[in-house]
């Protein structure tokens, strides 16, 4: 299911304010691509407001914004994709917590780490059952295939599945295995776009998409 965003934009030039006067959501079975055009001002402000969920009508949607100002860091493009998958991250953390706790209960050893204290939400629960539910959710979200899916998205955007950027320019070029801080601005933008696509949002906002 896809969504169409219907809105009316009002811009107050005197006060440098941009806001949506009316907004509604309609459903469609087709994906929709729309362009937002204005004379130099207003677009970034509007998209930032939408991405920050300033409009209650949008709370039902998963919204991601690919900003025109993106800086690289120590993480690789693959890691950018994976770290922004919040559901996957939470499930992996829950799995580690519960398996460590059950291991402690089994052998009684906490010599190499402090004893695990479970959050209150697990009080009175069957921890083995909670762990199984975690595994079921991980399987539903295809957690095991996450890295390969990230590689597929990055490959589709021109990244190379090599440890160097040979053939894609200096400084790491388009390699998906080098820190993004070593990539040029254009490749960093592509990595940001790949991360957004990988996380499959209902609404993907691209600011200055021509720079990608």
């Amino acid at each position: 299911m896809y969504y169409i965003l219907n809105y009316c934009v009002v811009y107050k030039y005197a006060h440098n304010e941009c806001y949506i006067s009316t907004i509604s959501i309609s459903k469609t079975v087709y994906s929709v691509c729309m362009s937002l055009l204005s004379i130099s001002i207003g677009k970034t402000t509007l998209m930032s407001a939408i991405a920050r969920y300033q409009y209650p009508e949008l709370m039902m949607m998963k919204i991601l914004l690919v900003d025109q100002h993106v800086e690289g860091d120590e993480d690789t493009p693959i890691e950018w994709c994976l770290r922004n998958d919040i559901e996957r991250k939470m499930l992996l953390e829950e799995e580690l917590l519960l398996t460590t706790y059950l291991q402690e209960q089994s052998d009684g050893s906490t010599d190499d780490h402090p004893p695990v204290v479970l959050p209150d939400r697990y009080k009175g629960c069957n921890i083995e059952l909670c762990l199984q539910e975690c595994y079921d959710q991980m399987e539903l979200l295809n957690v095991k295939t996450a890295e390969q899916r990230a590689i597929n998205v990055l490959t589709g955007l021109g990244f190379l599945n090599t440890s160097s950027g040979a053939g894609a320019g200096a400084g790491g070029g388009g390699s998906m295995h080098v820190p993004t801080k070593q990539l040029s601005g254009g490749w960093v933008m592509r990595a940001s776009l790949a991360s957004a696509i990988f996380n499959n949002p209902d609404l993907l906002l691209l600011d200055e998409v021509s720079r990608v």
Side-chain angles (χ1 to χ4, degrees), residues 33-81:
C33 179
M34 295 184 293
S35 297
L36 178 62
L37 305 175
S38 72
I39 304 175
S40 74
I41 54 177
K43 299 186 296 296
T44 296
T45 302
L46 174 61
M47 286 191 284
S48 296
I50 293 174
R52 292 195 301 269
Y53 294 95
Q54 292 187 5
Y55 308 99
E57 297 88 347
L58 304 179
M59 295 303 296
M60 61 182 290
M61 304 176 66
K62 182 178 181 180
I63 303 173
L64 292 177
L65 169 64
V66 178
D67 195 271
Q68 60 176 304
H69 303 295
V70 184
E71 295 185 2
D73 55 26
E74 296 289 345
D75 289 343
T76 67
I78 292 178
E79 291 168 337
W80 270 24
C81 291

Side-chain angles (χ1 to χ4, degrees), residues 95-111:
E95 178 197 21
L96 177 61
L97 175 68
L98 296 181
T99 53
T100 303
Y101 176 82
L102 290 173
Q103 183 64 34
E104 284 184 4
Q105 300 303 304
S106 175
D107 57 27
S109 174
T110 60
D111 295 338

Side-chain angles (χ1 to χ4, degrees), residues 3-4 30-36 204 206:
Y3 300 90
I4 298 179
Y30 304 102
S31 61
V32 179
C33 179
M34 295 184 293
S35 297
L36 178 62
L204 176 58
L206 306 178

Side-chain angles (χ1 to χ4, degrees), residues 86-140:
I86 304 302
E87 291 179 296
R88 172 183 174 275
K89 181 180 179 181
M90 292 177 62
L91 286 171
L92 290 174
E93 291 175 350
E94 182 179 16
E95 178 197 21
L96 177 61
L97 175 68
L98 296 181
T99 53
T100 303
Y101 176 82
L102 290 173
Q103 183 64 34
E104 284 184 4
Q105 300 303 304
S106 175
D107 57 27
S109 174
T110 60
D111 295 338
D112 58 345
H113 59 79
V116 174
V117 178
L118 295 179
D120 290 343
R121 67 178 183 272
Y122 292 108
K123 285 185 177 180
C125 297
N126 183 319
I127 303 304
E128 292 184 351
L129 181 59
C130 290
L131 180 58
Q132 184 57 54
E133 291 176 350
C134 177
Y135 286 141
D136 291 342
Q137 190 65 18
M138 291 172 68
E139 183 176 357
L140 182 64

Side-chain angles (χ1 to χ4, degrees), residues 189-210:
M189 283 288 292
R190 289 194 187 196
S192 180
L193 175 59
S195 175
I197 294 173
F198 173 79
N199 283 280
N200 194 30
D202 297 312
L203 178 60
L204 176 58
L205 302 171
L206 306 178
D207 195 3
E208 299 291 348
V209 64
S210 59

